[in-house]
Amino acid sequence: MRAAVGALRSRPAVGTAAAVSLVVLLGTGSPAYADETTGGDQTTTQPDTGSGQPETDSGAESGSGSIGAHIRLNQSTPPSSRSAATATATSADPDWEPPVCWYEPMYTPEEYEEFIKGAYGGAPGGSPAEGYAQKREKEKYHKGDEGLWWQVQFPDETYDRACPVTTENWEIWVPPADPQPDPNKVTPEVLSQLALNSTKLPTPPVELRPRADRLLVNLGTRVAFEGDLDRVWTTASLDYKGVQLAATTVATPVALKVDAGTADADPRSCTYDLVKGKDGYTADSEDAGCNVTYLRASGDGTYPFKASITWQVTWTDSADPDGPPRQPGLPDGLSTFEQDVTVKEAQAVNRASGVNRG
Protein backbone atom coordinates (compact mmCIF):
# COMPACT_ATOMS: atom_id res chain seq x y z
CA MET A 1 0.00 0.00 0.00
CA ARG A 2 2.77 2.47 0.79
CA ALA A 3 4.32 4.54 -1.95
CA ALA A 4 7.90 5.67 -1.71
CA VAL A 5 8.65 8.99 -0.07
CA GLY A 6 9.99 10.04 -3.43
CA ALA A 7 6.44 9.96 -4.77
CA LEU A 8 5.95 13.30 -3.06
CA ARG A 9 8.62 14.68 -5.34
CA SER A 10 6.54 13.94 -8.39
CA ARG A 11 3.52 15.88 -7.15
CA PRO A 12 2.31 18.06 -10.05
CA ALA A 13 4.24 21.31 -9.96
CA VAL A 14 2.47 24.58 -9.39
CA GLY A 15 2.50 27.31 -11.97
CA THR A 16 1.18 30.17 -9.83
CA ALA A 17 1.11 30.59 -6.08
CA ALA A 18 -2.63 31.08 -5.63
CA ALA A 19 -3.75 32.19 -2.19
CA VAL A 20 -5.91 29.14 -1.54
CA SER A 21 -3.87 26.30 -2.94
CA LEU A 22 -1.82 23.27 -2.15
CA VAL A 23 1.64 24.16 -3.35
CA VAL A 24 4.28 21.61 -4.19
CA LEU A 25 7.36 22.90 -5.94
CA LEU A 26 8.67 20.34 -8.38
CA GLY A 27 11.55 18.42 -6.82
CA THR A 28 11.21 19.75 -3.27
CA GLY A 29 9.17 16.86 -1.91
CA SER A 30 7.58 19.22 0.60
CA PRO A 31 3.86 19.92 0.25
CA ALA A 32 3.14 23.41 1.58
CA TYR A 33 -0.31 24.70 2.37
CA ALA A 34 -1.40 28.28 1.85
CA ASP A 35 -4.38 29.33 3.97
CA GLU A 36 -4.71 25.77 5.28
CA THR A 37 -3.40 24.21 8.48
CA THR A 38 -1.18 21.15 8.23
CA GLY A 39 -0.04 20.73 11.81
CA GLY A 40 -1.47 21.01 15.28
CA ASP A 41 0.94 23.82 16.15
CA GLN A 42 -0.57 26.19 13.59
CA THR A 43 -3.72 28.27 13.79
CA THR A 44 -6.75 27.95 11.56
CA THR A 45 -10.31 29.15 11.57
CA GLN A 46 -12.56 26.28 12.51
CA PRO A 47 -16.30 25.91 12.02
CA ASP A 48 -18.59 25.75 15.01
CA THR A 49 -18.76 22.05 15.73
CA GLY A 50 -21.85 22.25 17.89
CA SER A 51 -22.07 18.91 19.66
CA GLY A 52 -18.71 17.88 18.24
CA GLN A 53 -16.92 18.50 21.55
CA PRO A 54 -17.00 16.14 24.51
CA GLU A 55 -18.99 16.68 27.63
CA THR A 56 -16.45 17.22 30.39
CA ASP A 57 -16.60 16.47 34.09
CA SER A 58 -17.32 19.38 36.39
CA GLY A 59 -14.07 21.23 36.91
CA ALA A 60 -12.24 19.43 34.12
CA GLU A 61 -9.70 21.35 32.09
CA SER A 62 -9.59 21.09 28.32
CA GLY A 63 -6.79 21.66 25.83
CA SER A 64 -7.62 22.22 22.18
CA GLY A 65 -5.76 22.25 18.91
CA SER A 66 -6.07 21.18 15.30
CA ILE A 67 -4.51 18.81 12.84
CA GLY A 68 -4.85 18.42 9.10
CA ALA A 69 -7.18 20.96 7.53
CA HIS A 70 -10.36 20.80 9.60
CA ILE A 71 -9.86 18.27 12.40
CA ARG A 72 -10.20 19.68 15.89
CA LEU A 73 -8.58 18.15 18.96
CA ASN A 74 -9.93 18.58 22.46
CA GLN A 75 -8.36 16.98 25.53
CA SER A 76 -10.04 16.92 28.92
CA THR A 77 -8.12 16.31 32.12
CA PRO A 78 -10.06 15.80 35.37
CA PRO A 79 -8.91 17.77 38.43
CA SER A 80 -7.31 14.72 40.09
CA SER A 81 -4.76 14.49 37.24
CA ARG A 82 -4.26 18.20 36.74
CA SER A 83 -1.31 18.84 39.04
CA ALA A 84 0.94 16.18 37.51
CA ALA A 85 3.47 16.93 34.81
CA THR A 86 2.38 15.71 31.39
CA ALA A 87 4.02 14.29 28.29
CA THR A 88 2.73 12.97 24.98
CA ALA A 89 1.60 9.37 25.34
CA THR A 90 3.97 6.63 24.23
CA SER A 91 2.50 3.48 22.73
CA ALA A 92 3.17 0.26 24.61
CA ASP A 93 3.30 -1.41 21.19
CA PRO A 94 6.59 -0.38 19.52
CA ASP A 95 5.18 -1.32 16.10
CA TRP A 96 2.13 0.92 16.33
CA GLU A 97 2.14 4.03 14.15
CA PRO A 98 -0.46 6.79 13.80
CA PRO A 99 -1.85 7.64 10.36
CA VAL A 100 0.71 9.22 8.07
CA CYS A 101 -1.90 10.87 5.82
CA TRP A 102 -5.61 10.78 5.06
CA TYR A 103 -8.27 12.38 2.88
CA GLU A 104 -10.48 15.17 4.27
CA PRO A 105 -13.45 16.93 2.63
CA MET A 106 -12.23 20.19 1.09
CA TYR A 107 -14.05 21.56 -1.97
CA THR A 108 -17.38 21.80 -3.71
CA PRO A 109 -17.08 21.27 -7.48
CA GLU A 110 -17.10 25.04 -8.08
CA GLU A 111 -14.47 25.64 -5.40
CA TYR A 112 -12.35 22.83 -6.82
CA GLU A 113 -12.43 24.33 -10.31
CA GLU A 114 -11.24 27.63 -8.87
CA PHE A 115 -8.55 25.85 -6.88
CA ILE A 116 -7.19 23.89 -9.85
CA LYS A 117 -7.18 26.85 -12.23
CA GLY A 118 -5.57 29.09 -9.66
CA ALA A 119 -2.92 26.57 -8.61
CA TYR A 120 -2.03 25.07 -11.99
CA GLY A 121 -3.18 27.59 -14.58
CA GLY A 122 0.33 28.75 -15.42
CA ALA A 123 1.99 25.35 -15.45
CA PRO A 124 4.49 24.76 -18.27
CA GLY A 125 3.23 22.76 -21.24
CA GLY A 126 3.81 19.03 -20.91
CA SER A 127 4.54 19.28 -17.17
CA PRO A 128 2.95 16.98 -14.57
CA ALA A 129 1.05 20.01 -13.27
CA GLU A 130 -0.51 20.69 -16.65
CA GLY A 131 -1.46 17.04 -16.99
CA TYR A 132 -3.06 17.03 -13.56
CA ALA A 133 -5.10 20.16 -14.38
CA GLN A 134 -6.21 18.72 -17.73
CA LYS A 135 -7.28 15.49 -16.03
CA ARG A 136 -9.58 17.39 -13.69
CA GLU A 137 -10.88 19.63 -16.47
CA LYS A 138 -11.90 16.56 -18.48
CA GLU A 139 -13.84 15.40 -15.44
CA LYS A 140 -15.56 18.84 -15.48
CA TYR A 141 -14.70 19.01 -11.78
CA HIS A 142 -17.93 17.03 -11.21
CA LYS A 143 -19.92 20.24 -11.50
CA GLY A 144 -23.61 19.44 -11.28
CA ASP A 145 -22.96 16.30 -9.24
CA GLU A 146 -23.66 15.88 -5.55
CA GLY A 147 -20.56 15.31 -3.44
CA LEU A 148 -17.26 16.89 -2.44
CA TRP A 149 -13.63 16.81 -3.43
CA TRP A 150 -11.52 15.36 -0.64
CA GLN A 151 -7.82 16.24 -0.36
CA VAL A 152 -4.88 14.46 1.25
CA GLN A 153 -3.71 15.91 4.57
CA PHE A 154 -0.70 15.26 6.83
CA PRO A 155 -0.28 15.41 10.61
CA ASP A 156 2.74 17.71 10.31
CA GLU A 157 5.35 18.89 7.85
CA THR A 158 8.09 16.35 8.56
CA TYR A 159 7.05 13.90 5.80
CA ASP A 160 9.36 11.31 7.34
CA ARG A 161 7.05 8.39 6.56
CA ALA A 162 5.68 7.24 3.23
CA CYS A 163 2.12 8.26 2.40
CA PRO A 164 0.04 5.57 0.67
CA VAL A 165 -1.73 8.17 -1.48
CA THR A 166 -0.44 8.47 -5.04
CA THR A 167 0.31 11.90 -6.46
CA GLU A 168 -2.10 11.21 -9.32
CA ASN A 169 -4.94 11.36 -6.80
CA TRP A 170 -4.05 14.13 -4.39
CA GLU A 171 -7.76 14.86 -4.40
CA ILE A 172 -10.58 12.36 -4.87
CA TRP A 173 -14.26 12.81 -5.68
CA VAL A 174 -16.59 11.45 -3.02
CA PRO A 175 -20.35 11.23 -3.72
CA PRO A 176 -22.89 11.22 -0.86
CA ALA A 177 -23.35 7.45 -1.13
CA ASP A 178 -19.79 6.24 -1.62
CA PRO A 179 -20.03 2.68 -3.02
CA GLN A 180 -16.28 2.00 -2.76
CA PRO A 181 -14.79 4.17 -0.01
CA ASP A 182 -11.11 4.91 -0.43
CA PRO A 183 -9.16 3.14 2.34
CA ASN A 184 -7.40 6.41 3.15
CA LYS A 185 -10.54 8.46 3.82
CA VAL A 186 -10.77 9.86 7.32
CA THR A 187 -13.07 7.73 9.49
CA PRO A 188 -13.81 7.56 13.22
CA GLU A 189 -11.11 4.89 13.47
CA VAL A 190 -8.55 7.21 11.87
CA LEU A 191 -9.68 10.02 14.18
CA SER A 192 -9.22 7.75 17.21
CA GLN A 193 -5.62 7.09 16.18
CA LEU A 194 -4.93 10.78 15.67
CA ALA A 195 -6.49 11.50 19.06
CA LEU A 196 -4.31 8.92 20.79
CA ASN A 197 -1.19 10.28 19.13
CA SER A 198 -2.07 13.77 20.44
CA THR A 199 -2.94 12.73 23.99
CA LYS A 200 -0.82 14.04 26.84
CA LEU A 201 -0.69 11.82 29.92
CA PRO A 202 0.35 12.69 33.48
CA THR A 203 3.74 11.31 34.45
CA PRO A 204 3.82 8.98 37.47
CA PRO A 205 3.60 11.04 40.69
CA VAL A 206 6.20 8.97 42.52
CA GLU A 207 8.69 9.86 45.22
CA LEU A 208 11.56 7.73 46.50
CA ARG A 209 11.94 7.28 50.24
CA PRO A 210 14.74 7.74 51.13
CA ARG A 211 15.24 10.32 48.39
CA ALA A 212 17.30 9.61 45.28
CA ASP A 213 20.64 10.85 46.66
CA ARG A 214 20.29 9.09 50.03
CA LEU A 215 19.82 5.44 49.04
CA LEU A 216 21.87 2.78 50.80
CA VAL A 217 22.85 -0.77 49.97
CA ASN A 218 20.50 -3.32 51.58
CA LEU A 219 18.14 -0.59 52.75
CA GLY A 220 14.60 -0.95 51.41
CA THR A 221 13.50 1.89 49.14
CA ARG A 222 9.82 2.72 49.11
CA VAL A 223 8.34 4.05 45.88
CA ALA A 224 5.61 6.32 47.24
CA PHE A 225 2.69 7.17 44.95
CA GLU A 226 2.06 10.82 45.78
CA GLY A 227 -1.33 11.70 44.38
CA ASP A 228 -4.24 10.23 42.49
CA LEU A 229 -4.79 9.97 38.75
CA ASP A 230 -7.96 9.70 36.73
CA ARG A 231 -8.75 8.83 33.17
CA VAL A 232 -7.84 11.24 30.39
CA TRP A 233 -9.68 11.52 27.10
CA THR A 234 -9.08 13.26 23.78
CA THR A 235 -11.70 13.90 21.11
CA ALA A 236 -10.83 14.39 17.44
CA SER A 237 -13.75 15.77 15.46
CA LEU A 238 -14.45 16.94 11.94
CA ASP A 239 -17.43 19.09 10.99
CA TYR A 240 -16.99 20.57 7.53
CA LYS A 241 -19.32 21.02 4.57
CA GLY A 242 -21.86 18.63 6.02
CA VAL A 243 -19.38 15.88 6.89
CA GLN A 244 -19.52 15.19 10.63
CA LEU A 245 -17.26 12.64 12.29
CA ALA A 246 -15.85 12.25 15.78
CA ALA A 247 -13.91 9.80 17.90
CA THR A 248 -12.80 9.91 21.52
CA THR A 249 -9.91 7.98 23.01
CA VAL A 250 -10.10 7.29 26.74
CA ALA A 251 -6.94 6.43 28.69
CA THR A 252 -7.43 4.83 32.13
CA PRO A 253 -4.43 4.25 34.45
CA VAL A 254 -4.22 0.58 35.40
CA ALA A 255 -0.70 -0.23 36.62
CA LEU A 256 2.53 1.29 37.90
CA LYS A 257 5.75 -0.50 36.96
CA VAL A 258 9.01 0.25 38.76
CA ASP A 259 12.44 -0.55 37.32
CA ALA A 260 15.46 -0.17 39.61
CA GLY A 261 17.81 0.39 36.69
CA THR A 262 20.23 -2.38 37.61
CA ALA A 263 20.30 -6.15 38.01
CA ASP A 264 21.88 -5.54 41.41
CA ALA A 265 18.53 -4.89 43.04
CA ASP A 266 15.87 -7.06 44.62
CA PRO A 267 13.57 -7.03 42.84
CA ARG A 268 14.89 -5.51 39.61
CA SER A 269 11.36 -4.55 38.68
CA CYS A 270 7.86 -4.87 40.06
CA THR A 271 4.34 -3.81 39.21
CA TYR A 272 1.61 -2.31 41.35
CA ASP A 273 -2.02 -2.44 40.32
CA LEU A 274 -3.76 0.93 40.42
CA VAL A 275 -7.11 0.83 42.17
CA LYS A 276 -10.00 3.26 41.91
CA GLY A 277 -10.47 5.36 45.01
CA LYS A 278 -12.57 8.33 45.99
CA ASP A 279 -10.27 10.82 44.29
CA GLY A 280 -9.01 8.71 41.39
CA TYR A 281 -6.69 5.81 40.75
CA THR A 282 -3.83 5.20 43.16
CA ALA A 283 -1.33 2.58 44.33
CA ASP A 284 -0.64 1.70 47.94
CA SER A 285 3.03 0.80 47.96
CA GLU A 286 3.67 1.20 51.70
CA ASP A 287 3.33 -2.48 52.55
CA ALA A 288 4.09 -3.88 49.11
CA GLY A 289 6.53 -6.76 48.94
CA CYS A 290 8.22 -5.42 45.82
CA ASN A 291 9.73 -2.24 47.15
CA VAL A 292 13.27 -2.00 45.80
CA THR A 293 16.39 -2.96 47.75
CA TYR A 294 19.69 -2.12 46.06
CA LEU A 295 22.37 -4.78 46.60
CA ARG A 296 25.39 -2.92 45.24
CA ALA A 297 26.57 0.67 45.44
CA SER A 298 26.46 2.76 42.27
CA GLY A 299 30.08 3.81 42.78
CA ASP A 300 31.00 7.01 40.98
CA GLY A 301 27.93 6.73 38.77
CA THR A 302 24.19 6.38 39.18
CA TYR A 303 21.42 3.91 38.40
CA PRO A 304 18.62 4.97 35.99
CA PHE A 305 15.51 4.44 38.10
CA LYS A 306 12.29 4.44 36.07
CA ALA A 307 8.60 4.37 36.93
CA SER A 308 5.99 3.86 34.20
CA ILE A 309 2.23 3.97 34.27
CA THR A 310 0.32 1.75 31.86
CA TRP A 311 -2.87 3.34 30.55
CA GLN A 312 -5.57 1.14 29.06
CA VAL A 313 -6.85 2.92 25.95
CA THR A 314 -10.32 2.51 24.46
CA TRP A 315 -12.18 4.61 21.92
CA THR A 316 -15.72 5.59 20.99
CA ASP A 317 -17.02 6.74 17.61
CA SER A 318 -18.48 9.95 19.03
CA ALA A 319 -17.52 12.92 21.19
CA ASP A 320 -18.79 11.04 24.27
CA PRO A 321 -16.04 9.39 26.34
CA ASP A 322 -18.68 7.21 27.98
CA GLY A 323 -20.00 5.81 24.71
CA PRO A 324 -19.65 2.11 23.85
CA PRO A 325 -16.05 1.06 23.09
CA ARG A 326 -15.33 0.31 19.45
CA GLN A 327 -13.03 -2.05 17.60
CA PRO A 328 -10.34 -2.52 16.48
CA GLY A 329 -8.67 -1.72 19.76
CA LEU A 330 -5.86 0.72 20.36
CA PRO A 331 -2.56 -0.12 22.09
CA ASP A 332 -2.00 0.74 25.73
CA GLY A 333 -0.34 4.06 26.45
CA LEU A 334 2.66 4.70 28.68
CA SER A 335 3.80 7.67 30.72
CA THR A 336 7.21 7.54 32.34
CA PHE A 337 9.19 9.16 35.14
CA GLU A 338 12.97 8.71 35.12
CA GLN A 339 15.50 9.68 37.78
CA ASP A 340 19.17 8.90 38.32
CA VAL A 341 19.73 7.51 41.81
CA THR A 342 22.89 7.30 43.87
CA VAL A 343 23.35 4.22 46.06
CA LYS A 344 26.10 4.13 48.68
CA GLU A 345 27.48 1.62 51.16
CA ALA A 346 26.34 2.38 54.69
CA GLN A 347 29.95 2.18 55.95
CA ALA A 348 31.03 4.80 53.41
CA VAL A 349 28.28 7.12 54.55
CA ASN A 350 29.26 6.62 58.20
CA ARG A 351 32.90 7.36 57.45
CA ALA A 352 32.01 10.47 55.51
CA SER A 353 29.87 11.60 58.43
CA GLY A 354 32.67 11.00 60.92
CA VAL A 355 30.74 8.29 62.73
CA ASN A 356 32.83 5.58 64.41
CA ARG A 357 30.87 2.36 64.70
CA GLY A 358 33.82 0.24 65.76
Side-chain angles (χ1 to χ4, degrees):
M1 283 293 294
R2 291 193 171 186
V5 174
L8 290 172
R9 301 178 183 273
S10 61
R11 172 73 168 105
V14 175
T16 58
V20 189
S21 62
L22 169 62
V23 181
V24 180
L25 301 177
L26 188 62
T28 64
S30 300
Y33 292 75
D35 271 15
E36 294 296 345
T37 297
T38 56
D41 58 344
Q42 301 182 27
T43 302
T44 186
T45 302
Q46 301 290 353
D48 182 5
T49 58
S51 61
Q53 300 301 328
E55 297 294 329
T56 58
D57 288 348
S58 176
E61 286 186 346
S62 297
S64 61
S66 61
I67 192 171
H70 303 103
I71 295 174
R72 295 199 56 160
L73 298 168
N74 184 292
Q75 176 164 328
S76 297
T77 304
S80 59
S81 298
R82 192 176 300 164
S83 60
T86 62
T88 302
T90 301
S91 171
D93 179 359
D95 296 325
W96 184 82
E97 291 184 345
V100 64
C101 61
W102 59 90
Y103 285 118
E104 284 185 40
M106 288 293 293
Y107 306 109
T108 65
E110 291 73 23
E111 291 170 341
Y112 190 57
E113 179 183 19
E114 181 181 356
F115 162 72
I116 290 293
K117 290 181 176 179
Y120 304 113
S127 68
E130 182 189 52
Y132 192 81
Q134 290 176 346
K135 172 184 175 181
R136 297 311 186 197
E137 185 176 7
K138 289 179 180 178
E139 296 171 338
K140 300 185 184 301
Y141 314 101
H142 280 278
K143 290 194 296 184
D145 298 334
E146 293 187 6
L148 294 170
W149 285 95
W150 291 43
Q151 188 178 70
V152 69
Q153 301 293 329
F154 298 86
D156 52 43
E157 294 183 347
T158 59
Y159 312 114
D160 56 354
R161 292 186 293 143
C163 175
V165 172
T166 65
T167 55
E168 289 77 18
N169 290 290
W170 223 243
E171 295 91 23
I172 58 173
W173 174 253
V174 179
D178 195 358
Q180 293 182 319
D182 189 284
N184 298 298
K185 278 179 56 178
V186 66
T187 62
E189 181 183 351
V190 170
L191 290 177
S192 75
Q193 296 168 358
L194 294 173
L196 172 59
N197 197 52
S198 302
T199 297
K200 293 186 180 299
L201 295 174
T203 56
V206 298
E207 180 178 312
L208 296 180
R209 297 177 181 172
R211 68 190 193 202
D213 61 347
R214 296 288 183 90
L215 305 185
L216 300 178
V217 172
N218 294 325
L219 177 66
T221 302
R222 182 188 168 201
V223 183
F225 198 84
E226 296 295 320
D228 297 325
L229 296 176
D230 213 330
R231 63 180 190 162
V232 174
W233 62 88
T234 302
T235 295
S237 60
L238 185 150
D239 187 348
Y240 189 67
K241 294 188 181 298
V243 179
Q244 295 180 320
L245 299 170
T248 301
T249 59
V250 182
T252 303
V254 294
L256 169 68
K257 181 179 179 180
V258 171
D259 190 311
T262 174
D264 294 315
D266 183 23
R268 163 68 187 263
S269 66
C270 56
T271 301
Y272 307 97
D273 291 331
L274 298 184
V275 294
K276 177 73 170 177
K278 179 181 179 182
D279 298 319
Y281 292 84
T282 189
D284 182 6
S285 63
E286 184 170 6
D287 298 320
C290 66
N291 283 321
V292 175
T293 299
Y294 286 95
L295 306 178
R296 187 186 300 271
S298 56
D300 294 331
T302 58
Y303 294 133
F305 172 85
K306 181 169 69 175
S308 301
I309 291 181
T310 298
W311 299 73
Q312 185 180 59
V313 179
T314 58
W315 68 280
T316 73
D317 57 358
S318 70
D320 182 7
D322 296 316
R326 298 303 184 188
Q327 295 294 328
L330 292 170
D332 290 342
L334 295 175
S335 60
T336 302
F337 167 82
E338 296 181 343
Q339 184 175 26
D340 290 333
V341 300
T342 301
V343 181
K344 298 179 180 179
E345 295 281 358
Q347 296 89 332
V349 173
N350 291 337
R351 286 195 297 269
S353 301
V355 177
N356 184 359
R357 300 180 65 89

